[in-house]
Amino acid sequence: MANLKPTVVVIEDDPPIRRFLRTGLSTHGFTVYEADSGRQGIIEAGIRKPDLIILDLGLPDVDGVEVIKTVREWSAMPIIILSARSAEQSKIEALDAGADDYLTKPFGLGELLARTRVALRHWLRTPEQNPTGEFTTGNLRVDLINRWVHVGDQEVHLTPIQFRLLSMLVQNAGKVLTHHQILKDVWGPSHTESSHYLRIYMSQLRQKLEEDPTQPKYLLTESGVGYRLKV
Amino acid sequence: MANLKPTVVVIEDDPPIRRFLRTGLSTHGFTVYEADSGRQGIIEAGIRKPDLIILDLGLPDVDGVEVIKTVREWSAMPIIILSARSAEQSKIEALDAGADDYLTKPFGLGELLARTRVALRHWLRTPEQNPTGEFTTGNLRVDLINRWVHVGDQEVHLTPIQFRLLSMLVQNAGKVLTHHQILKDVWGPSHTESSHYLRIYMSQLRQKLEEDPTQPKYLLTESGVGYRLKV
DNA sequence: TAATCCTGTAATCAATAGGTTACGTTCGTG
DNA sequence: CACGAACGTAACCTATTGATTACAGGATTA
């Protein structure tokens, strides 16, 4: 969804309001899918996996609160309620059933859009929505963002320098990095001649990551040049 | 039952409404701190590190939108707006400045409480996307919404800071958090260098949560980097 | 095959970072 | 205003990390 348009499923039985929502939302960058009943809405939400649901409480077939509960059984996606019912008890029920916001008709398009922005802001903050910087080759898995390394299903602990070194290799996986480049990046520009540091830490990494450190499968030496992470 | 009550900072200059909020919120399980001006409210939010801010837009000294922006410079905590202004433009400005919800006066206490529950639900949403807000690993169970911690079938009492620290780790379970990140979030932006605080409280958490505090299974140290809650 | 260069590994030691205890102060509650 | 809980601070001790030295293996070449 990062560079695509956000998608929304509108569940609303009244055709004029549906048209109002369709034009308003699509001219503001949404891809809009529509449903005119609760049953249809639940199906649509399941198929489209939208970034947002806009739901009218007063549907002909199912009670809106039931729709909320059904969706919440399998997803935490944002749900914004539109309703003609302004009674407080109705709001409380919908919100406690799992809705994220509640607008009473009549409402302005500007406010609705502002509240969709709030809902999407919340939703985007959840970590598993964000891409992970995970790298895999063979039975070696590295997550640069969460900062862990797995060999098989075993977690491996690395010291800060070891991790920086591996991190640089991962970010240039497949390419050969010269001693000079690595030393400059990991130890800083004042240590570009201390190539024995590099050998020692490379050895430590192999001890921790390679099945047979004497026959490395991932951390390869390019003699006279540098090192390379095999992909 | 609950480990400790959630805290809220109420920023409102009108004494009758302030009293209404104080009694309403505290009888429903909140610890309430009050401020009668924007300036004071920002300070209070920084000191108390509440779970929620309730903010009146019509303050005598600072514009409410400025208060939102100032808080958002260093925290993503939920902010619910109360306002006499029902104009759509006012709502849009506040929501886009970073507010999470907007209620127009007059409003009912029931609706306000329902909307606080929504805000806290968003704020506490764990990476697992657990709808109940409960987190489990090994024999450690944490419920961020109801605020209790169990080790085995034994309830454990935590102090406010201890709970905030654990809460942050739970919300980022699996990830390494740097000293800096934790200090900023738990103690506030002015304590980012006081890393010995962190060590002491981490030690206290281990005493309470780990079977063998010298060999932690959950609260892991990433030496030279920070800490991590193992999943 | 001897010399040389590049590479890998082990062991040591100092510096830094982390863990724990104890104690004084503050703050909220009754 | 007295009590206890929670917090901040200092001091001390332990563990981890990183730098460094020394040495061993292996390949290339004269």
Side-chain angles (χ1 to χ4, degrees):
Chain A
M1 142 156 186
N3 30 25
L4 289 167
K5 292 197 283 187
T7 61
V8 54
V9 166
V10 173
I11 310 174
E12 164 68 72
D13 62 316
D14 187 25
I17 298 187
R18 213 163 59 226
R19 206 175 80 246
F20 167 68
L21 292 171
R22 175 171 61 239
T23 57
L25 289 166
S26 60
T27 59
H28 284 85
F30 282 89
T31 302
V32 183
Y33 299 104
E34 299 174 33
D36 58 5
S37 71
R39 225 174 294 279
Q40 183 60 30
I42 291 168
I43 294 169
E44 204 69 14
I47 298 171
R48 306 297 184 181
K49 301 272 161 42
D51 300 294
L52 175 71
I53 292 175
I54 293 179
L55 168 66
D56 182 0
L57 272 196
L59 295 168
D61 58 338
V62 197
D63 181 43
V65 173
E66 288 309 311
V67 177
I68 300 171
K69 287 181 183 167
T70 307
V71 172
R72 280 287 171 268
E73 284 171 14
W74 57 273
S75 172
M77 66 177 71
I79 301 177
I80 295 180
I81 300 299
L82 305 179
S83 173
R85 307 176 208 166
S86 63
E88 190 175 22
Q89 196 51 43
S90 169
K91 298 182 186 179
I92 295 172
E93 271 174 29
L95 294 171
D96 280 344
D100 295 283
D101 209 338
Y102 190 111
L103 272 83
T104 308
K105 297 179 188 174
F107 55 88
L109 181 64
E111 178 177 359
L112 175 63
L113 289 168
R115 289 186 184 270
T116 64
R117 286 192 289 274
V118 172
L120 293 177
R121 205 162 64 206
H122 286 146
W123 179 236
L124 285 176
R125 219 188 43 223
T126 71
E128 105 286 358
Q129 291 293 306
N130 298 334
T132 75
E134 200 175 316
F135 170 87
T136 308
T137 180
N139 63 350
L140 175 66
R141 288 188 303 141
V142 183
D143 188 322
L144 295 177
I145 292 172
N146 296 329
R147 208 181 186 294
W148 50 249
V149 179
H150 278 254
V151 175
D153 49 18
Q154 190 82 38
E155 175 151 3
V156 177
H157 173 80
L158 298 183
T159 72
I161 287 192
Q162 289 165 4
F163 190 84
R164 270 218 302 282
L165 175 54
L166 179 61
S167 168
M168 188 181 182
L169 289 163
V170 164
Q171 283 170 32
N172 298 280
K175 295 181 199 166
V176 178
L177 295 171
T178 64
H179 302 141
H180 201 83
Q181 286 178 306
I182 299 175
L183 285 162
K184 191 175 151 197
D185 204 82
V186 177
W187 277 268
S190 55
H191 291 72
T192 49
E193 302 309 319
S194 329
S195 54
H196 55 290
Y197 286 15
L198 180 50
R199 272 184 238 121
I200 290 167
Y201 278 87
M202 203 51 106
S203 160
Q204 293 172 358
L205 274 185
R206 282 174 178 155
Q207 301 292 335
K208 290 185 175 181
L209 305 180
E210 294 281 359
E211 203 174 324
D212 178 1
T214 63
Q215 300 275 314
K217 291 196 299 181
Y218 308 125
L219 303 166
L220 306 185
T221 301
E222 295 289 335
S223 198
V225 186
Y227 293 91
R228 184 166 64 94
L229 179 65
K230 188 164 181 181
V231 284
Chain B
M1 61 140 250
N3 202 300
L4 39 85
K5 299 189 277 186
T7 60
V8 53
V9 166
V10 173
I11 309 175
E12 165 67 72
D13 63 316
D14 188 23
I17 298 187
R18 214 164 57 227
R19 203 170 106 254
F20 167 70
L21 292 172
R22 176 172 60 240
T23 57
L25 289 165
S26 59
T27 59
H28 284 84
F30 282 89
T31 300
V32 183
Y33 299 103
E34 300 175 32
D36 59 4
S37 72
R39 224 174 294 280
Q40 183 60 31
I42 292 168
I43 294 169
E44 204 69 14
I47 297 171
R48 305 297 183 180
K49 309 282 159 31
D51 300 292
L52 175 70
I53 292 176
I54 293 180
L55 169 66
D56 182 1
L57 272 195
L59 295 167
D61 58 338
V62 197
D63 181 44
V65 173
E66 288 309 311
V67 177
I68 300 171
K69 287 182 183 167
T70 307
V71 172
R72 279 286 170 271
E73 283 171 14
W74 62 274
S75 173
M77 65 177 73
I79 301 177
I80 294 180
I81 300 299
L82 305 179
S83 173
R85 306 176 208 165
S86 63
E88 189 174 23
Q89 195 51 43
S90 170
K91 298 182 185 180
I92 295 172
E93 270 173 29
L95 293 171
D96 281 344
D100 294 285
D101 208 339
Y102 190 111
L103 272 85
T104 308
K105 298 178 189 175
F107 55 88
L109 182 62
E111 179 176 358
L112 175 62
L113 290 168
R115 288 187 184 269
T116 64
R117 287 193 289 272
V118 172
L120 293 177
R121 204 163 66 206
H122 285 147
W123 178 235
L124 294 173
R125 187 144 53 201
T126 61
E128 327 291 87
Q129 205 62 40
N130 201 329
T132 63
E134 197 176 315
F135 171 87
T136 308
T137 181
N139 64 350
L140 174 66
R141 288 188 302 140
V142 183
D143 187 322
L144 294 176
I145 291 174
N146 298 316
R147 291 180 165 259
W148 50 251
V149 179
H150 279 255
V151 174
D153 49 18
Q154 189 83 37
E155 174 149 5
V156 177
H157 173 79
L158 298 183
T159 72
I161 288 191
Q162 288 165 4
F163 188 83
R164 267 217 302 284
L165 176 54
L166 179 61
S167 167
M168 187 180 185
L169 289 164
V170 165
Q171 287 174 59
N172 297 281
K175 285 187 201 172
V176 177
L177 295 172
T178 65
H179 303 139
H180 201 83
Q181 287 178 304
I182 299 175
L183 286 162
K184 189 175 153 198
D185 204 82
V186 177
W187 277 269
S190 55
H191 290 73
T192 49
E193 303 307 320
S194 326
S195 53
H196 53 288
Y197 288 16
L198 180 51
R199 277 187 231 118
I200 290 168
Y201 278 85
M202 206 48 125
S203 162
Q204 293 171 357
L205 274 184
R206 281 174 178 154
Q207 301 291 337
K208 290 185 176 181
L209 305 180
E210 293 281 359
E211 202 174 325
D212 178 2
T214 62
Q215 300 274 315
K217 291 196 300 181
Y218 309 125
L219 303 167
L220 306 185
T221 301
E222 295 288 334
S223 197
V225 186
Y227 294 90
R228 186 164 64 92
L229 178 65
K230 187 158 183 184
V231 285

